[in-house]
């Protein structure tokens, strides 16, 4: 009886060929099967070993397209699609809003925050060999029940599960669970990576790019910050991170927070996308397992809506301005706009009424300013006489002192003219923040402007002009004209430069409205309309004061009467100014003496 020493050469060759054919046969049909059968089929263990080795080397070049499945859930507010590759969101549509369509010049396109692979996120782990693998490289098996999507993936004997639940109020609960991960990883943390390229959804690329930025909360929601370039927070724990666009925000919140957070931004000059955002943060593992709750929010930046998320500080994402500026918008301009809008008035007329309301509130201060302008006009001949008498740079101090003496005898307080200007600076900046960020104005047209949050471009240019672009805004032109008229009317009482070499302030004041046009031409047409109405009202107020309220002859008589009286004692401010001028005059004399000595040498 022949002893069996095992397989002979022919049997070995036949076995190898048969095994190769069998493996190829199995591989082919496994790729044809669904993900559910791959998990259930015992033969998939061989593939999982190959996949885990591939993932451990952070390579995903051969993902089978047939294994990728997308599932969709929706409610009144959001329509969400999830991809089995990475188990992540592949599409986010906000149902009740539309995106801008350049072809129709209207907001009539579906509004997608995420679509066409512009967003990718996942958790990166380090295994015991020191190699890394990322969940966005894994193929998850999806299952859907009502508005809950469960994504399950296997890697190196561990199970990773994402449980998404679509809630009301633009919220998506995102629960991450792992089992058996502790046998694969040794690190006590996982890295969360989010790469997000935002697309343009509004009219006016430069304005939308300017308003696209990072926002985040830290210090247990006690502090918030924003960043337009990039940030790094090595010591703070971020409660949530938002990528904000002009009117919408995508937010990821972590129950336990993100540590060692870092964000970078890159502007895209052309095309449908505006900016690239990259965020990296760490989350802690408990027992080398990741079992944490996260939440996604895809929000329109509507102030009343943002305030419904109590304790989250989401309203800080809306850039209405810091400190007093933001308070002014929140307690006055936004409530007044909403109140007037409730009357059913067109948005442009709401802005018109807002302008009148603001003027009425400022009327006492504005009246003082215009009265001061009238009084300055009355004493202008005497100021010119002093200027003629004390010519030359060597008489600059005497000229200034004589001018202040005229003002003092006439009872004119120059500082009173500064107050209206100081009051209007925060109002201007508040409105600069209000109009391009008020979502209720988005898509609202008025006359030739189709959207009051963007520029009007009824006049289109066939070529690009630096600082202007390819259009001319009618609202910007109209605003520039009335500001120029107002400047001419109010600059008549301004003095000529009292020192040689000093510029004529009137020329600078005339140039300002023209340069202001370049700013307004690409800004919100609502802002231009507001300032057109505001300055037109200023002109009417000046004319009313001049012809019906103030009597220049009476003012002149009052000034002459004040001159005949004993001069009032110097006030603290006047005394300080006089002392400063005397000190400056002494320093000037000393410099001249030193210069003479140097010339003699």
């Amino acid at each position: 009886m022949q002893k069996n020493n095992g397989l002979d050469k022919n049997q070995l060759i036949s076995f190898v060929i048969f095994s190769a054919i069998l493996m190829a046969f199995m591989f082919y049909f496994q790729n044809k099967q669904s993900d559910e059968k791959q998990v259930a089929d015992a033969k998939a263990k061989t593939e999982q070993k190959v996949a885990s080795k591939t993932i451990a080397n952070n390579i995903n070049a051969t993902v089978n397209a047939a294994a990728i499945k997308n599932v969709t859930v929706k409610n009144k507010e959001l329509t969400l699609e999830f991809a089995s590759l990475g188990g992540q969101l592949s599409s986010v549509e906000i149902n009740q809003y539309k995106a801008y369509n350049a072809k129709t010049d209207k907001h009539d396109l579906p509004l997608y925050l995420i679509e066409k692979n512009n967003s990718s996120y996942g958790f990166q782990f380090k295994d015991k060999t020191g190699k890394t693998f990322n969940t966005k490289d894994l193929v998850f098996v999806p299952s859907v029940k009502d508005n809950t999507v469960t994504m399950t993936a296997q890697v190196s004997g561990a199970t990773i599960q994402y449980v998404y639940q679509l809630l009301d109020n633009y919220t998506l609960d995102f629960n991450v669970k792992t089992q058996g991960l502790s046998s694969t990883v040794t690190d006590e943390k996982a890295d969360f990576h989010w790469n997000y390229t935002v697309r343009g959804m509004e009219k006016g690329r430069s304005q939308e790019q300017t308003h696209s930025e990072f926002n985040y909360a830290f210090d247990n929601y006690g502090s918030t910050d924003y960043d337009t370039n990039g940030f790094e927070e090595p010591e703070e724990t971020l409660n949530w991170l938002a990528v904000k666009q002009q009117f919408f925000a995508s937010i990821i919140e972590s129950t336990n927070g993100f540590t060692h957070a870092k964000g970078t931004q890159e502007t895209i000059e052309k095309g449908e996308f505006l900016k690239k955002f990259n965020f990296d943060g760490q989350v802690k593992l408990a027992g080398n397992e990741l079992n944490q709750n996260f939440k996604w929010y895809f929000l329109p930046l509507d102030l009343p809506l943002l305030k419904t998320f109590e304790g989250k500080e989401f309203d800080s994402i809306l850039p209405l301005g810091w400190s007093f500026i933001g308070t002014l918008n929140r307690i006055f301009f936004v409530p007044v706009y909403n109140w007037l809008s409730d009357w059913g008035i067109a948005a442009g007329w709401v802005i018109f009424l807002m302008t009148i309301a603001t003027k009425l509130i400022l009327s006492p201060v504005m009246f003082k300013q215009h009265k001061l302008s009238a009084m300055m006009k009355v004493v202008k001949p005497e100021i010119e006489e002093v200027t003629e008498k004390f010519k030359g740079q060597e008489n600059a101090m005497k000229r200034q002192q004589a001018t202040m003496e005229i003002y003092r005898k006439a009872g004119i307080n120059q500082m009173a003219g500064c107050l209206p200007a100081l009051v209007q600076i925060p109002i201007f900046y508040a409105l600069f923040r209000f109009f391009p960020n008020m979502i209720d104005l988005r898509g609202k047209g008025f006359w030739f402007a189709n959207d009051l949050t963007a520029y009007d471009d009824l006049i289109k240019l066939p070529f690009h002009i630096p600082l202007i672009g390819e259009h001319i805004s009618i609202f910007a032109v109209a605003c520039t004209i009335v500001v120029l008229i107002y400047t001419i009317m109010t600059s008549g009482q301004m003095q000529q430069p009292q020192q040689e070499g000093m510029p004529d302030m009137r020329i600078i004041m005339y140039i300002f409205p023209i340069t202001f046009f370049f700013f307004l031409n690409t800004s919100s047409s609502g802002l231009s309309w507001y300032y057109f109405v505001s300055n037109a009202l200023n002109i009417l107020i000046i004319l009313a004061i001049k012809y019906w309220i103030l009597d220049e002859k009476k003012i002149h008589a009052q000034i002459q009467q004040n001159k005949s009286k004993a001069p009032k004692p110097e006030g603290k401010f006047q005394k300080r100014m006089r002392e400063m001028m005397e000190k400056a005059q002494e320093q000037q004399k000393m410099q001249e003496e030193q210069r003479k000595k140097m010339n003699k040498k």
Side-chain angles (χ1 to χ4, degrees):
M1 185 173 164
Q2 190 176 4
K3 187 176 179 180
N4 188 359
N5 293 321
L7 297 175
D8 61 16
K9 182 178 180 180
N10 292 332
Q11 287 176 321
L12 182 61
I13 294 172
S14 299
F15 179 78
V16 170
I17 293 173
F18 176 78
S19 299
I21 294 173
L22 180 62
M23 289 294 294
F25 181 82
M26 290 170 59
F27 182 77
Y28 175 79
F29 280 97
Q30 282 177 344
N31 285 341
K32 290 291 185 180
Q33 290 176 337
S34 66
D35 291 307
E36 292 88 347
K37 289 185 178 181
Q38 287 181 352
V39 175
D41 198 338
K43 294 179 181 179
K45 292 180 181 180
T46 305
E47 273 198 344
Q48 288 173 0
K49 291 179 182 179
V50 175
S52 64
K53 182 179 179 181
T54 303
I55 294 167
N57 287 279
N58 203 21
I59 299 173
N60 188 42
T62 58
V63 175
N64 182 16
I68 307 304
K69 289 187 176 182
N70 291 348
V71 294
T72 302
V73 294
K74 66 182 297 183
N75 61 10
K76 180 179 68 174
E77 297 155 342
L78 298 173
T79 299
L80 307 178
E81 184 179 87
F82 303 86
S84 57
L85 179 60
Q88 57 192 317
L89 285 157
S90 57
S91 175
V92 174
E93 180 183 1
I94 300 185
N95 300 329
Q96 297 173 341
Y97 292 87
K98 297 294 182 181
Y100 175 72
N101 186 350
K103 294 180 180 179
T104 61
D105 199 23
K106 295 180 181 178
H107 289 81
D108 56 14
L109 294 175
L111 196 152
Y112 291 99
L113 294 182
I114 296 177
E115 192 197 25
K116 298 179 182 178
N117 301 317
N118 69 318
S119 174
S120 177
Y121 60 89
F123 298 91
Q124 183 171 290
F125 303 92
K126 184 181 292 186
D127 67 13
K128 293 180 178 179
T129 66
K131 297 176 181 178
T132 61
F133 64 92
N134 198 309
T135 59
K136 60 184 178 182
D137 297 323
L138 301 176
V139 176
F140 286 72
V141 179
S143 66
V144 182
K145 183 179 181 182
D146 298 327
N147 270 359
T148 300
V149 176
T150 302
M151 292 281 189
T152 306
Q154 306 289 332
V155 53
S156 300
T159 300
I160 299 176
Q161 193 174 72
Y162 292 167
V163 181
Y164 296 98
Q165 184 179 10
L166 179 58
L167 308 175
D168 293 332
N169 225 21
Y170 301 93
T171 304
L172 176 68
D173 192 65
F174 175 34
N175 197 14
V176 181
K177 302 176 182 179
T178 66
Q179 186 175 359
L181 194 65
S182 57
S183 61
T184 302
V185 303
T186 56
D187 208 348
E188 295 182 351
K189 64 174 179 62
D191 295 317
F192 177 76
H193 301 289
W194 182 22
N195 309 113
Y196 186 28
T197 306
V198 298
R199 60 170 33 86
M201 295 183 293
E202 313 300 335
K203 182 178 183 178
R205 183 182 186 89
S206 61
Q207 181 173 253
E208 191 177 5
Q209 276 182 331
T210 301
H211 287 88
S212 297
E213 60 193 16
F214 276 124
N215 284 254
Y216 53 93
F218 56 96
D219 193 21
N220 197 25
Y221 302 93
S223 302
T224 60
D225 204 350
Y226 72 97
D227 189 89
T228 57
N229 297 307
F231 72 93
E232 192 166 357
E233 295 285 358
E235 298 182 6
E236 299 290 350
T237 298
L238 271 58
N239 305 113
W240 53 256
L241 174 100
V243 173
K244 170 202 164 292
Q245 294 179 245
Q246 188 172 355
F247 294 109
F248 302 92
S250 303
I251 308 169
I252 177 72
E253 179 188 24
S254 171
T255 302
N256 296 337
F258 299 104
T259 59
H260 297 85
K262 182 180 180 181
T264 61
Q265 299 183 39
E266 180 184 347
T267 300
I268 301 172
E269 297 301 329
K270 295 181 180 179
E272 66 174 309
F273 295 103
L274 302 175
K275 275 186 176 182
K276 293 180 181 179
F277 292 86
N278 299 304
F279 171 71
D280 299 315
Q282 295 179 2
V283 294
K284 293 181 180 179
L285 303 182
N288 288 351
E289 298 286 349
L290 177 57
N291 293 291
Q292 290 189 30
N293 184 256
F294 302 83
K295 278 186 172 64
W296 284 102
Y297 304 89
F298 301 100
L299 300 173
L301 296 179
D302 178 61
L303 187 58
L305 171 67
L306 298 176
K307 286 183 175 180
T308 62
F309 296 90
E310 295 183 6
K312 306 290 186 184
E313 301 299 326
F314 286 162
D315 60 315
S316 67
I317 300 174
L318 189 61
L320 294 177
W322 288 96
S323 188
F324 176 72
I325 304 298
T327 303
L328 185 62
N329 271 321
R330 285 175 169 83
I331 69 174
F332 180 72
F333 285 113
V334 173
V336 169
Y337 177 86
N338 290 333
W339 177 60
L340 292 171
S341 296
D342 290 341
W343 295 2
I345 304 172
W349 293 116
V350 170
I351 295 172
F352 179 83
L353 294 175
M354 282 177 61
T355 312
I356 293 176
T358 305
K359 287 295 179 187
L360 288 173
I361 293 172
L362 295 177
S363 58
V365 178
M366 298 301 295
F367 178 78
K368 288 183 179 180
Q369 181 186 30
H370 294 310
K371 183 179 179 180
L372 176 65
S373 298
M375 295 177 73
M376 294 281 285
K377 187 176 182 182
V378 172
V379 300
K380 183 181 177 184
E382 295 176 80
I383 299 296
E384 290 176 347
E385 185 180 336
V386 168
T387 304
E388 183 68 22
K389 182 179 178 181
F390 298 102
K391 284 185 176 180
Q393 189 172 357
E394 67 277 4
N395 294 317
M397 293 299 171
K398 292 180 180 179
R399 186 167 57 244
Q400 184 67 30
Q401 289 174 345
T403 301
M404 291 185 65
E405 184 65 18
I406 291 173
Y407 289 146
R408 190 163 66 89
K409 287 181 178 180
I412 296 174
N413 182 5
Q414 285 183 293
M415 292 301 295
C418 299
L419 180 60
L422 293 174
V423 169
Q424 292 184 74
I425 288 173
I427 291 176
F428 171 80
Y429 191 71
L431 292 169
F432 170 72
R433 286 288 190 171
F434 173 84
F435 284 107
N437 294 293
M438 188 66 178
I439 196 169
D440 288 345
L441 282 170
R442 181 179 184 266
K444 299 287 180 66
F446 184 64
W447 291 344
F448 35 78
N450 290 338
D451 185 355
L452 286 167
T453 64
Y455 56 81
D456 66 274
D457 57 353
L458 186 64
I459 302 175
K460 292 182 172 66
L461 302 176
F463 44 81
H464 180 86
I465 300 177
L467 301 178
I468 292 179
E470 299 174 352
H471 72 277
I472 294 177
S473 166
I474 296 177
F475 273 130
V477 172
C479 183
T480 301
I481 291 171
V482 295
V483 172
L484 188 58
I485 293 171
Y486 175 71
T487 303
I488 293 171
M489 293 177 67
T490 56
S491 63
Q493 73 275 4
M494 293 185 67
Q495 303 174 40
Q496 294 288 342
Q498 296 183 356
Q499 295 184 20
E500 294 179 7
M502 292 291 290
D504 189 341
M505 289 301 295
R506 292 179 301 179
I507 297 175
I508 296 175
M509 292 297 291
Y510 296 152
I511 293 174
F512 171 73
I514 299 171
T515 57
F516 197 46
F517 163 78
F518 297 103
F519 165 75
L520 291 175
N521 194 55
T522 55
S523 298
S524 162
S525 55
L527 182 66
S528 300
W529 169 237
Y530 177 94
Y531 279 106
F532 170 81
V533 175
S534 178
N535 285 282
L537 289 174
N538 283 340
I539 293 171
L540 293 176
I541 291 170
I542 289 174
L543 294 174
I545 288 174
K546 180 177 180 180
Y547 292 107
W548 291 293
I549 299 175
L550 292 181
D551 187 342
E552 289 189 8
K553 292 182 179 179
K554 188 176 180 180
I555 292 173
H556 185 73
Q558 182 66 45
I559 288 173
Q560 297 303 321
Q561 185 179 353
N562 289 342
K563 288 180 182 180
S564 62
K565 294 179 181 179
K568 296 179 181 180
E570 283 185 323
K572 291 182 178 179
F573 174 76
Q574 291 173 325
K575 183 180 179 181
R576 194 175 301 160
M577 287 294 294
R578 179 178 56 79
E579 291 173 350
M580 287 174 61
M581 285 190 291
E582 289 174 353
K583 189 178 291 185
Q585 194 171 12
E586 290 176 4
Q587 289 178 351
Q588 186 177 359
K589 287 181 180 179
M590 290 176 62
Q591 289 175 356
E592 288 178 359
E593 290 176 0
Q594 289 178 357
R595 194 180 299 114
K596 289 178 181 179
K597 290 179 180 179
M598 292 294 293
N599 291 334
K600 288 181 180 180
K601 292 180 180 180

